[in-house]
Amino acid sequence: MEKSIEKRIPKSLIWLCVLAFFSVLNETVFNVSLPDIAAQFGIKPSAANYVNTSFILSFAVGTAVYGKISDIYGVKKLVLISMMIYSGGSLFGLLFHAWFPILLVARFIQGAGASAVPGLIMVIVTKSIEKQHQGKAFGMIGSTVALGEGFGPILGGWIADYVHWSYLFFLPMMTLVTLPFFLRTLPDEPMKKGGLDVLGGLLFVLGIVSFTLFTTHYEWWYLTNSVILFIGFVLRIRRAKEPFVEPALFKRRRFIVGVFVGGILLGTVAGFMSMIPYMMREVHQMSTSLIGGGVLFPGTLSVILFGIVGGSLVDRQGARFVMVAGLLLLVMGLFIVSLFADRSLWIISGALVLIFGGLSFVKTVISTIVAGSLSADESGSGMGFLNFSCFLAEGIGIAIVGGLLTQHRCNFPILPIVTDVAAYLYSNLTLLLLAVVITGGAIFMIVFKGEEASLDINRN
């Protein structure tokens, strides 16, 4: 009996969830403060959004790296090292926040440390928990992350309004209190032979960074450079003995579709969420604390419930059912925001509940589908690459939306119901993001049409 319980929820997973709470908290606390940072440094939204983009880019790279080398160095060593990097980057940002370039470097270091958490959580789930219980485990993780997302806007808004946004760097250092628990609960693992394809990873990361710069500045040489780097990456992983990403994974349709659709949907919602503080400030003249506590908090907190429900529904009703439900919630929420961008704040806050709920369902389905397509020895690199791709997509989504906010290319009337000139840009951007969500959902449904049994891998 004891072995069965341990197989369902290992103690290490519980403490990693605690660390995940602070990791996500660190991202959302800065989200509501982006308009304040832009005002202090006199910069445009496209530049201010790099406070989050720099964190997410290093976060994405780290998830792939930690997942890849977890089989070599063991989970315990990597968690301890990453916590030191995370806290060190936070201290660096707190001390030198007055210089914007240093602020970006500090956020990059933070992401490099915090990125160990999602990658290693996925490894523990896929290796330690039976497939028929993985939906519940991913739902538990999603709920814990949602709790961090829920408290993030409130804490971020309150600290930015009543103290100063720079003190947000202090919060991640609280993760050091979990150090004794990890030392006691995580098993010591002997080092194994293996290596990391540094060149392959570098080519991929530089390609993503170059593409992200293109989405912000729209200079074609960034795109050309990105294509060249991606070609080099493909050639590299085909020749390397231990490639950064196993080429065999790209031959599996379930894996590719899961990663691709997950990237589209998560990146789109991340870009949308980065727009909300600017919209609330410009259209509704709201304070930072009210944006976090009054507008974003109900939605982020509701993800706790949606995460639990989504995990159970995947196990009982199947992945396809939950994906359809998640897509419908996303579409309804985005459409409501687009229609009522200049109307009641309560309508927008209610729509965000739908959007966060749909996102929670989608995350659970994508994680479950990809995990089910991997063998035990592929779990580290496969789930690491999933996290890598999704977080990179979030960073790109935030950068794209920041660029569109700065360029004002969507600032014209489309929907007759939107009458406030200041709301045109935000309403139209939401419509554009809605179209992207529908496209991503359509790709998923077309590819898996007629494969209900194959999708419902965890259904009892």
Side-chain angles (χ1 to χ4, degrees), residues 165-410:
W165 60 263
S166 62
Y167 286 89
L168 299 175
F169 279 108
F170 176 76
L171 295 176
M173 289 187 277
M174 296 174 63
T175 58
L176 292 176
V177 302
T178 64
L179 201 59
F181 301 103
F182 284 118
L183 288 171
R184 187 168 68 247
T185 60
L186 289 175
D188 293 312
E189 301 171 89
M191 287 186 59
K192 302 176 183 178
K193 292 183 178 181
L196 179 65
D197 181 15
V198 177
L199 178 58
L202 188 62
L203 288 170
F204 193 85
V205 171
L206 291 177
I208 289 293
V209 171
S210 186
F211 180 76
T212 304
L213 290 172
F214 167 74
T215 61
T216 304
H217 301 288
Y218 300 103
E219 295 183 9
W220 288 100
W221 77 272
Y222 284 127
L223 181 60
T224 303
N225 188 51
S226 177
V227 172
I228 294 172
L229 288 167
F230 282 134
I231 292 174
F233 167 74
V234 172
L235 295 175
R236 172 64 184 178
I237 64 173
R238 294 180 64 181
R239 297 177 181 178
K241 292 183 178 179
E242 297 183 15
F244 184 72
V245 179
E246 292 293 340
L249 292 176
F250 294 102
K251 298 178 181 178
R252 300 188 180 183
R253 186 173 66 167
R254 291 168 59 85
F255 177 83
I256 292 299
V257 173
V259 170
F260 182 66
V261 173
I264 290 176
L265 298 178
L266 270 63
T268 302
V269 175
F272 170 77
M273 291 303 170
S274 72
M275 181 190 77
I276 291 297
Y278 295 106
M279 184 175 84
M280 294 297 103
R281 181 70 62 86
E282 184 175 349
V283 180
H284 300 281
Q285 293 76 49
M286 295 182 66
S287 65
T288 305
S289 58
L290 190 55
I291 294 172
V295 178
L296 293 174
F297 177 68
T300 53
L301 194 61
S302 70
V303 183
I304 300 174
L305 174 62
F306 281 107
I308 296 173
V309 172
S312 299
L313 285 176
V314 168
D315 291 333
R316 289 185 299 172
Q317 300 295 328
R320 186 182 182 88
F321 174 86
V322 179
M323 176 60 87
V324 171
L327 290 171
L328 288 176
L329 289 173
L330 285 176
V331 169
M332 287 190 295
L334 289 171
F335 188 60
I336 290 172
V337 171
S338 182
L339 280 177
F340 303 103
D342 57 350
R343 302 301 175 90
S344 170
L345 299 176
W346 299 112
I347 295 178
I348 295 176
S349 184
L352 291 179
V353 171
L354 299 178
I355 293 170
F356 276 109
L359 181 64
S360 178
F361 280 11
V362 168
K363 281 183 176 179
T364 301
V365 171
I366 295 299
S367 298
T368 306
I369 287 176
V370 173
S373 69
L374 301 171
S375 60
D377 58 345
E378 295 172 332
S379 59
S381 59
M383 296 307 290
F385 188 74
L386 170 65
N387 282 292
F388 181 42
S389 301
C390 289
F391 285 119
L392 276 176
E394 290 182 2
I396 293 172
I398 292 172
I400 291 175
V401 169
L404 292 173
L405 288 176
T406 300
Q407 306 249 343
H408 287 265
R409 297 188 177 186
C410 299

